[in-house]
Amino acid sequence: MSTETKTETGTEISRAEVCAAAVADAFSDDGEIFGSPMGIMPMLGVRLAKLTSNPDLVISDGESLFLGGVPPLFAKGDVVEGWIPFRRVFDVVAYGKRHVMMGATQIDRHGNQNISAIGDFAQPRRQLLGSRGAPGNTVNNRTSYWVAKQSPRVFVEQVDVVSGVGPKLAREAGPAASRFNDIHRIVTNLGVFDVNGPDDTVRLLSVHPGVSLDEVRAASGFEIAGLGSGSDADVSTTRVPTAAELMLIREVLDPRKLREREVPSA
Amino acid sequence: MTIDEVVGRLESGMTIGIGGWGPRRKPMALVRAILRSDLTDLTIVSWGGADVGLLADAGKIKKLVYAFVSLDSIPLEPLFGLARQNRTIPEICEWDEGMFFTGLKAASERLPFLPMRAGLGSDVLRNNPDLKLVTSPYPAPDGELEELVAVPALRLDVALVHMNRADAHGNASYLGPDPYFDDLFAMAADQVFVSCEQVVDTAGLSVDTPVQRLLLNRMMVTGVVETPNGAHFTTCTPDYERDEKFQKHYARSAADPEAWAAFKQRFLSGDEDAYQAAVADWTKEQA
């Protein structure tokens, strides 16, 4: 499989760069809210969105400062425009003006996510982080997921532990849970998904350039809406970054190519 | 107070809240003192880092209330992972991290619970069947009576926190980027012990830093103990940052029984002074 795409002008674009633009697109219509990325690719995408489609996004250093500018990944010393210690993050979660993009060790057909543990919760085969803020995030503010390596071990029929709540479980838990539940996008190394399939299931929105539907099928442990037995021609292709976005990704935000650690070029 | 006097005030079976956050400004000198003690059957309430890993490994924990356990730069805490995978902690309460904040707030306000959305629909409720819901007596705009999680108060017998500066009376300040939740831990607890980098006189607390950094007042604090480098190997910004090299050494050692025995022998078999001396020697070797 190819992980490089050529544009009409002959520029080589890596899969990681396609992913960065797809993550940025997840934040493009958010307006003036706290874009809260967990991990490298989400951070790259959020900052790219702030420099392009959504300059109103509020971003932080991932620790305790709101940043006035848009520094490169992990750079220090930007203009500070506010204070966001952990306790205030919880205030913003409840306030709702936030879009978090979390990782996911497992995601299931109904858009539930697991970062807690693999196996039986009482005695897991592998203990992960714990549920962190996923339960609160998913019933309070817009939530997206980033999956660096889609596989049937990640896209599972049913997650072992529900940390992040998908729309169906939220609906079943009542109006207090579903009122603000908003699972927006799942971006992976292979494509872009939402949870608007039948019965609130994961649905394919686009595959990245060079990815076949068979590849997506092989990397999924459940049947994905919009994929079915369709042929490659029936499904949209994720857009490639513009020349300006490529410049921002390569020269400004991620000159050290940290993105390649998440989605390596072949 | 001394470290031994603080530990002398603790009893087996107590519920102990540990301040800081993950691998940040944890009262590690006090945690190490608990490792050396014969205390058992503790209920530990912590946004966990190596404090939880070490106490679990030492068999001190009967019940753990947490939302995550992480070393940040090393995402998974190896000793906590082993404890979970070998089921050596009898009672596990994994909450959402915002619920944890709310539970401390409820305790600090002497309320039995506070309502919250977090937890609804998730396995936090299924894995903690003692968590109950509460129905609002007021209808929402659409007429619905919302059912929310009634987060129970996280009452503590003891809170242990580490600050940058304190006076002898228990007024104390953090000088780093984030207060974390140490004031709430303190207000949720019957007894509060503050370890700090430096005990200063009261005037010294605000002489070179804004008064807003005085997170704890003496009403909240039972005793103060000076433990320089007492948060090691977690952060204690600006006095020092995380000792990433040492943390890596810890995590690697913990992943292998033989290496872990050697680590414990070298670093955890003596008192706090011995620990600090062993760390200093190790650091010199690595240079």
Side-chain angles (χ1 to χ4, degrees), chain A residues 61-123:
Chain A
D61 67 348
E63 194 151 341
S64 66
L65 304 175
F66 280 139
L67 302 179
V70 189
L73 301 185
F74 303 110
K76 297 262 180 202
D78 195 72
V79 175
V80 170
E81 68 170 356
W83 189 48
I84 183 74
F86 288 123
R87 66 175 61 194
R88 288 224 185 153
V89 174
F90 297 136
D91 295 342
V92 179
V93 169
Y95 183 44
K97 292 196 178 183
R98 179 167 180 263
H99 178 177
V100 61
M101 182 175 268
M102 285 186 281
T105 306
Q106 295 178 325
I107 288 183
D108 68 21
R109 179 197 293 273
H110 284 102
N112 304 303
Q113 166 247 31
N114 175 18
I115 49 172
S116 168
I118 298 294
D120 176 18
F121 183 78
Q123 184 167 4

Side-chain angles (χ1 to χ4, degrees), chain A:
Chain A
M1 85 183 189
S2 165
T3 54
E4 299 255 312
T5 305
K6 259 198 176 82
T7 63
E8 283 167 20
T9 54
T11 314
E12 295 282 349
I13 298 174
S14 72
R15 179 72 55 75
E17 289 160 346
V18 171
C19 292
V23 171
D25 284 350
F27 290 84
S28 61
D29 70 348
D30 282 339
E32 197 164 25
I33 67 168
F34 180 17
S36 197
M38 306 290 153
I40 289 172
M41 186 66 78
M43 193 192 291
L44 176 58
V46 162
R47 292 186 184 192
L48 183 60
K50 185 167 168 64
L51 288 171
T52 56
S53 58
N54 185 1
D56 286 340
L57 265 182
V58 175
I59 66 169
S60 82
D61 67 348
E63 194 151 341
S64 66
L65 304 175
F66 280 139
L67 302 179
V70 189
L73 301 185
F74 303 110
K76 297 262 180 202
D78 195 72
V79 175
V80 170
E81 68 170 356
W83 189 48
I84 183 74
F86 288 123
R87 66 175 61 194
R88 288 224 185 153
V89 174
F90 297 136
D91 295 342
V92 179
V93 169
Y95 183 44
K97 292 196 178 183
R98 179 167 180 263
H99 178 177
V100 61
M101 182 175 268
M102 285 186 281
T105 306
Q106 295 178 325
I107 288 183
D108 68 21
R109 179 197 293 273
H110 284 102
N112 304 303
Q113 166 247 31
N114 175 18
I115 49 172
S116 168
I118 298 294
D120 176 18
F121 183 78
Q123 184 167 4
R125 273 203 313 284
R126 184 158 167 74
Q127 175 65 40
L128 306 170
L129 284 173
S131 279
R132 288 223 75 147
N137 290 339
T138 46
V139 295
N140 277 293
N141 57 221
R142 177 170 275 192
T143 301
S144 294
Y145 298 111
W146 160 246
V147 174
K149 195 163 184 235
Q150 190 184 328
S151 83
R153 285 156 50 113
V154 180
F155 271 35
V156 296
E157 184 65 38
Q158 196 170 359
V159 295
D160 293 342
V161 180
V162 177
S163 310
V165 182
K168 187 174 188 209
L169 280 181
R171 204 174 57 239
E172 287 166 4
S178 61
R179 199 180 297 277
F180 305 116
N181 178 259
D182 177 12
I183 309 302
H184 185 59
R185 290 283 183 275
I186 302 163
V187 181
T188 79
N189 61 321
L190 301 182
V192 181
F193 307 81
D194 68 9
V195 291
N196 295 327
D199 196 26
D200 296 329
T201 52
V202 172
R203 176 179 73 160
L204 179 65
L205 294 178
S206 66
V207 290
H208 300 331
V211 177
S212 72
L213 294 190
D214 278 340
E215 253 178 274
V216 179
R217 279 187 201 102
S220 306
F222 56 85
E223 202 181 302
I224 290 175
L227 188 50
S229 56
S231 70
D232 290 2
D234 300 333
V235 174
S236 330
T237 303
T238 312
R239 73 176 182 90
V240 296
T242 63
E245 285 176 315
L246 285 176
M247 188 277 287
L248 291 168
I249 294 168
R250 293 173 181 176
E251 310 296 331
V252 178
L253 293 172
D254 186 24
R256 289 157 62 202
K257 293 192 170 178
L258 299 174
R259 62 192 179 279
E260 291 278 325
R261 289 189 202 168
E262 300 224 316
V263 182
S265 293

Side-chain angles (χ1 to χ4, degrees), chain A residues 64 83 85-87 90 116 121-127 129-133 135-136 139-140 161-162 176 179-180, chain B residues 21 67-69 75-76 80 84-85 87 94 96-97 101 117-118 123 127 140 142 146-147 177-178 180-181 183:
Chain A
S64 66
W83 189 48
F86 288 123
R87 66 175 61 194
F90 297 136
S116 168
F121 183 78
Q123 184 167 4
R125 273 203 313 284
R126 184 158 167 74
Q127 175 65 40
L129 284 173
S131 279
R132 288 223 75 147
V139 295
N140 277 293
V161 180
V162 177
R179 199 180 297 277
F180 305 116
Chain B
W21 171 277
F68 63 83
V69 181
L76 303 183
F80 170 65
R84 289 283 285 128
Q85 286 144 217
R87 207 172 183 169
E94 181 178 297
D96 165 84
E97 60 193 38
F101 174 40
R117 277 180 219 287
D123 277 354
N127 291 327
D142 57 8
E146 288 194 339
E147 250 195 326
D178 196 316
Y180 310 121
F181 304 87
D183 49 341

Side-chain angles (χ1 to χ4, degrees), chain B residues 63-78:
Chain B
K63 177 176 173 180
L64 177 65
V65 185
Y66 70 106
F68 63 83
V69 181
S70 175
L71 304 175
D72 278 12
S73 48
I74 301 168
L76 303 183
E77 215 294 341

